[in-house]
Amino acid sequence: MSLLIPKIRRNIERFQKGKKNNSDQTKKLNEVKVYMACMGWYKKQSKNQGGYYDCYKTAESKSKDEGQTKEDLVIYQKKLNQYWKKMVKDVDRMPKREGAISIRPRVLYAGTNYRRLVEPLDIAVYYRQGNKDYINKGRSQHYKLLEEWEKGSSKPAERHKVSTTTEDSCFWAHVEEALIACRNLTEENDSSTEDKESWNQSLLGFEACVMGLIRMHTLSPETFLEGSSFMKWWKDYKRLRGIGYKSDLTGFMNNEKVQNDLLVLDEYKVLS
């Protein structure tokens, strides 16, 4: 009995500590909601300037009427990143059962929304600075963990409407790498046959990635706004492949039915 009492006391202390951590998570989460709301407002206002990602990347979006500038957004982005990096670090340190995570569903849901809204801006900064290979060389660990936890939390629900925010938070990194691959294949250089084949395969892989997101309705229609990086890539890619090239993606983009169960671009846009 004398050995049992300290063990019970330790279990109670761990339980109380867990409750306190959960309470702290919720309290701090409420403190950053205003920043997320501002980011969401900026996203809506950017539709006429190539979309959320490109509007931020080119630093052209400012709204004098609302007082919301890109400089404000940089501050919100920094505060949100600081908050979630600490949150993820704290959660990852907490004791947990094998195969389980210590983050509450509500907090994980908020973290997923944050990742999908803010990581594209980190990607924009990364490539604006002339860097390459964001996913392997530039991605923060806290994004990786948030994505890992989200994927392990539940099975994805079947979508009947198109997501307004692309669910793959690294999508724009894939776009940037596809732009680089197109440029490498188009420009005259001394690249090896192996390099050229690698770039070609990466472009085919990107096509498959895009079509996968379209089929799952998880690619935002904002992707197809005139002037977006994706549409710039699409124009480069069409020139690279030539007029006779056919694929599911070319059919989708040209509003041609390739498969009976696959939407075309105009249908996809109105499903959001």
Side-chain angles (χ1 to χ4, degrees), residues 243-263:
I243 297 175
Y245 181 72
K246 298 290 183 182
S247 69
D248 285 357
L249 184 58
T250 59
F252 173 84
M253 296 297 292
N254 294 330
N255 284 307
E256 299 170 355
K257 281 287 186 182
V258 179
Q259 299 174 11
N260 290 333
D261 63 338
L262 182 63
L263 297 172

mmCIF file of all heavy atoms in Angstrom, residues 243-263:
data_model
loop_
_atom_site.group_PDB
_atom_site.id
_atom_site.type_symbol
_atom_site.label_atom_id
_atom_site.label_comp_id
_atom_site.label_asym_id
_atom_site.label_seq_id
_atom_site.Cartn_x
_atom_site.Cartn_y
_atom_site.Cartn_z
ATOM 1 N N ILE A 243 1.376 21.501 -79.267
ATOM 2 C CA ILE A 243 -0.068 21.483 -79.516
ATOM 3 C C ILE A 243 -0.656 20.077 -79.413
ATOM 4 O O ILE A 243 -1.766 19.889 -78.930
ATOM 5 C CB ILE A 243 -0.373 22.079 -80.910
ATOM 6 C CG1 ILE A 243 0.068 23.545 -80.957
ATOM 7 C CG2 ILE A 243 -1.858 21.962 -81.242
ATOM 8 C CD1 ILE A 243 -0.072 24.183 -82.319
ATOM 9 N N GLY A 244 0.070 19.074 -79.852
ATOM 10 C CA GLY A 244 -0.486 17.726 -79.906
ATOM 11 C C GLY A 244 -0.519 16.981 -78.584
ATOM 12 O O GLY A 244 -1.052 15.869 -78.512
ATOM 13 N N TYR A 245 0.019 17.575 -77.532
ATOM 14 C CA TYR A 245 0.096 16.872 -76.242
ATOM 15 C C TYR A 245 -1.284 16.762 -75.600
ATOM 16 O O TYR A 245 -2.018 17.745 -75.504
ATOM 17 C CB TYR A 245 1.051 17.606 -75.306
ATOM 18 C CG TYR A 245 1.213 16.945 -73.956
ATOM 19 C CD1 TYR A 245 1.918 15.753 -73.828
ATOM 20 C CD2 TYR A 245 0.659 17.515 -72.809
ATOM 21 C CE1 TYR A 245 2.072 15.145 -72.589
ATOM 22 C CE2 TYR A 245 0.810 16.920 -71.573
ATOM 23 C CZ TYR A 245 1.516 15.728 -71.468
ATOM 24 O OH TYR A 245 1.660 15.126 -70.236
ATOM 25 N N LYS A 246 -1.642 15.563 -75.164
ATOM 26 C CA LYS A 246 -2.931 15.321 -74.527
ATOM 27 C C LYS A 246 -2.735 14.616 -73.187
ATOM 28 O O LYS A 246 -1.910 13.710 -73.063
ATOM 29 C CB LYS A 246 -3.821 14.441 -75.418
ATOM 30 C CG LYS A 246 -4.176 15.052 -76.772
ATOM 31 C CD LYS A 246 -5.126 16.225 -76.621
ATOM 32 C CE LYS A 246 -5.535 16.785 -77.976
ATOM 33 N NZ LYS A 246 -6.424 17.971 -77.843
ATOM 34 N N SER A 247 -3.496 15.046 -72.204
ATOM 35 C CA SER A 247 -3.486 14.402 -70.890
ATOM 36 C C SER A 247 -4.773 14.776 -70.174
ATOM 37 O O SER A 247 -5.551 15.601 -70.662
ATOM 38 C CB SER A 247 -2.276 14.865 -70.068
ATOM 39 O OG SER A 247 -2.410 16.232 -69.705
ATOM 40 N N ASP A 248 -5.001 14.184 -69.009
ATOM 41 C CA ASP A 248 -6.183 14.551 -68.222
ATOM 42 C C ASP A 248 -6.165 16.038 -67.877
ATOM 43 O O ASP A 248 -7.205 16.704 -67.897
ATOM 44 C CB ASP A 248 -6.235 13.726 -66.937
ATOM 45 C CG ASP A 248 -6.667 12.291 -67.184
ATOM 46 O OD1 ASP A 248 -6.974 11.952 -68.348
ATOM 47 O OD2 ASP A 248 -6.692 11.509 -66.218
ATOM 48 N N LEU A 249 -4.983 16.560 -67.566
ATOM 49 C CA LEU A 249 -4.899 17.967 -67.178
ATOM 50 C C LEU A 249 -5.170 18.892 -68.360
ATOM 51 O O LEU A 249 -5.861 19.908 -68.205
ATOM 52 C CB LEU A 249 -3.528 18.275 -66.572
ATOM 53 C CG LEU A 249 -3.352 19.702 -66.046
ATOM 54 C CD1 LEU A 249 -4.400 20.032 -64.984
ATOM 55 C CD2 LEU A 249 -1.950 19.914 -65.484
ATOM 56 N N THR A 250 -4.653 18.564 -69.538
ATOM 57 C CA THR A 250 -4.931 19.418 -70.700
ATOM 58 C C THR A 250 -6.422 19.406 -71.014
ATOM 59 O O THR A 250 -7.003 20.433 -71.367
ATOM 60 C CB THR A 250 -4.139 18.966 -71.944
ATOM 61 O OG1 THR A 250 -4.483 17.617 -72.274
ATOM 62 C CG2 THR A 250 -2.647 19.068 -71.709
ATOM 63 N N GLY A 251 -7.052 18.245 -70.878
ATOM 64 C CA GLY A 251 -8.494 18.177 -71.097
ATOM 65 C C GLY A 251 -9.251 19.027 -70.099
ATOM 66 O O GLY A 251 -10.173 19.768 -70.456
ATOM 67 N N PHE A 252 -8.855 18.940 -68.839
ATOM 68 C CA PHE A 252 -9.490 19.733 -67.785
ATOM 69 C C PHE A 252 -9.340 21.226 -68.066
ATOM 70 O O PHE A 252 -10.315 21.986 -68.022
ATOM 71 C CB PHE A 252 -8.862 19.385 -66.434
ATOM 72 C CG PHE A 252 -9.323 20.249 -65.298
ATOM 73 C CD1 PHE A 252 -10.496 19.974 -64.621
ATOM 74 C CD2 PHE A 252 -8.573 21.356 -64.901
ATOM 75 C CE1 PHE A 252 -10.922 20.779 -63.570
ATOM 76 C CE2 PHE A 252 -8.988 22.162 -63.855
ATOM 77 C CZ PHE A 252 -10.169 21.873 -63.191
ATOM 78 N N MET A 253 -8.124 21.648 -68.362
ATOM 79 C CA MET A 253 -7.853 23.072 -68.569
ATOM 80 C C MET A 253 -8.515 23.605 -69.837
ATOM 81 O O MET A 253 -8.867 24.785 -69.911
ATOM 82 C CB MET A 253 -6.346 23.308 -68.628
ATOM 83 C CG MET A 253 -5.612 22.996 -67.333
ATOM 84 S SD MET A 253 -6.111 24.035 -65.938
ATOM 85 C CE MET A 253 -5.483 25.633 -66.466
ATOM 86 N N ASN A 254 -8.697 22.747 -70.830
ATOM 87 C CA ASN A 254 -9.321 23.165 -72.091
ATOM 88 C C ASN A 254 -10.827 22.941 -72.103
ATOM 89 O O ASN A 254 -11.477 23.092 -73.140
ATOM 90 C CB ASN A 254 -8.687 22.407 -73.264
ATOM 91 C CG ASN A 254 -7.232 22.771 -73.468
ATOM 92 O OD1 ASN A 254 -6.816 23.893 -73.178
ATOM 93 N ND2 ASN A 254 -6.445 21.824 -73.954
ATOM 94 N N ASN A 255 -11.384 22.571 -70.946
ATOM 95 C CA ASN A 255 -12.818 22.304 -70.824
ATOM 96 C C ASN A 255 -13.285 21.196 -71.768
ATOM 97 O O ASN A 255 -14.378 21.248 -72.338
ATOM 98 C CB ASN A 255 -13.639 23.579 -71.070
ATOM 99 C CG ASN A 255 -13.601 24.522 -69.873
ATOM 100 O OD1 ASN A 255 -13.903 24.127 -68.751
ATOM 101 N ND2 ASN A 255 -13.207 25.760 -70.112
ATOM 102 N N GLU A 256 -12.432 20.183 -71.907
ATOM 103 C CA GLU A 256 -12.784 19.029 -72.728
ATOM 104 C C GLU A 256 -12.939 17.814 -71.821
ATOM 105 O O GLU A 256 -12.065 17.518 -71.008
ATOM 106 C CB GLU A 256 -11.683 18.752 -73.762
ATOM 107 C CG GLU A 256 -11.450 19.901 -74.739
ATOM 108 C CD GLU A 256 -10.205 19.684 -75.584
ATOM 109 O OE1 GLU A 256 -9.491 18.694 -75.326
ATOM 110 O OE2 GLU A 256 -9.947 20.508 -76.480
ATOM 111 N N LYS A 257 -14.043 17.115 -71.958
ATOM 112 C CA LYS A 257 -14.286 15.933 -71.147
ATOM 113 C C LYS A 257 -13.307 14.822 -71.531
ATOM 114 O O LYS A 257 -13.262 14.381 -72.672
ATOM 115 C CB LYS A 257 -15.719 15.434 -71.336
ATOM 116 C CG LYS A 257 -16.766 16.218 -70.565
ATOM 117 C CD LYS A 257 -16.698 15.915 -69.067
ATOM 118 C CE LYS A 257 -17.846 16.582 -68.314
ATOM 119 N NZ LYS A 257 -17.772 16.340 -66.856
ATOM 120 N N VAL A 258 -12.519 14.397 -70.559
ATOM 121 C CA VAL A 258 -11.592 13.292 -70.774
ATOM 122 C C VAL A 258 -12.182 12.008 -70.200
ATOM 123 O O VAL A 258 -12.086 10.944 -70.780
ATOM 124 C CB VAL A 258 -10.227 13.594 -70.122
ATOM 125 C CG1 VAL A 258 -9.271 12.429 -70.313
ATOM 126 C CG2 VAL A 258 -9.636 14.869 -70.706
ATOM 127 N N GLN A 259 -12.805 12.149 -69.047
ATOM 128 C CA GLN A 259 -13.479 11.028 -68.393
ATOM 129 C C GLN A 259 -14.842 11.512 -67.919
ATOM 130 O O GLN A 259 -15.001 12.665 -67.520
ATOM 131 C CB GLN A 259 -12.656 10.524 -67.202
ATOM 132 C CG GLN A 259 -11.279 10.003 -67.581
ATOM 133 C CD GLN A 259 -10.459 9.645 -66.352
ATOM 134 O OE1 GLN A 259 -10.975 9.598 -65.244
ATOM 135 N NE2 GLN A 259 -9.181 9.395 -66.554
ATOM 136 N N ASN A 260 -15.821 10.634 -67.953
ATOM 137 C CA ASN A 260 -17.184 11.038 -67.600
ATOM 138 C C ASN A 260 -17.300 11.540 -66.166
ATOM 139 O O ASN A 260 -18.131 12.389 -65.853
ATOM 140 C CB ASN A 260 -18.152 9.866 -67.812
ATOM 141 C CG ASN A 260 -18.349 9.558 -69.290
ATOM 142 O OD1 ASN A 260 -18.210 10.438 -70.133
ATOM 143 N ND2 ASN A 260 -18.658 8.307 -69.596
ATOM 144 N N ASP A 261 -16.462 10.998 -65.276
ATOM 145 C CA ASP A 261 -16.573 11.370 -63.865
ATOM 146 C C ASP A 261 -15.671 12.544 -63.494
ATOM 147 O O ASP A 261 -15.591 12.924 -62.336
ATOM 148 C CB ASP A 261 -16.227 10.171 -62.976
ATOM 149 C CG ASP A 261 -14.781 9.707 -63.172
ATOM 150 O OD1 ASP A 261 -14.209 10.007 -64.235
ATOM 151 O OD2 ASP A 261 -14.246 9.049 -62.266
ATOM 152 N N LEU A 262 -14.989 13.130 -64.468
ATOM 153 C CA LEU A 262 -14.049 14.210 -64.183
ATOM 154 C C LEU A 262 -14.615 15.550 -64.628
ATOM 155 O O LEU A 262 -15.062 15.701 -65.766
ATOM 156 C CB LEU A 262 -12.717 13.950 -64.897
ATOM 157 C CG LEU A 262 -11.602 14.977 -64.670
ATOM 158 C CD1 LEU A 262 -11.209 15.012 -63.198
ATOM 159 C CD2 LEU A 262 -10.391 14.643 -65.529
ATOM 160 N N LEU A 263 -14.605 16.513 -63.707
ATOM 161 C CA LEU A 263 -15.069 17.854 -64.046
ATOM 162 C C LEU A 263 -14.095 18.531 -65.002
ATOM 163 O O LEU A 263 -12.939 18.143 -65.117
ATOM 164 C CB LEU A 263 -15.187 18.695 -62.773
ATOM 165 C CG LEU A 263 -16.186 18.237 -61.717
ATOM 166 C CD1 LEU A 263 -16.018 19.076 -60.463
ATOM 167 C CD2 LEU A 263 -17.602 18.343 -62.236
#
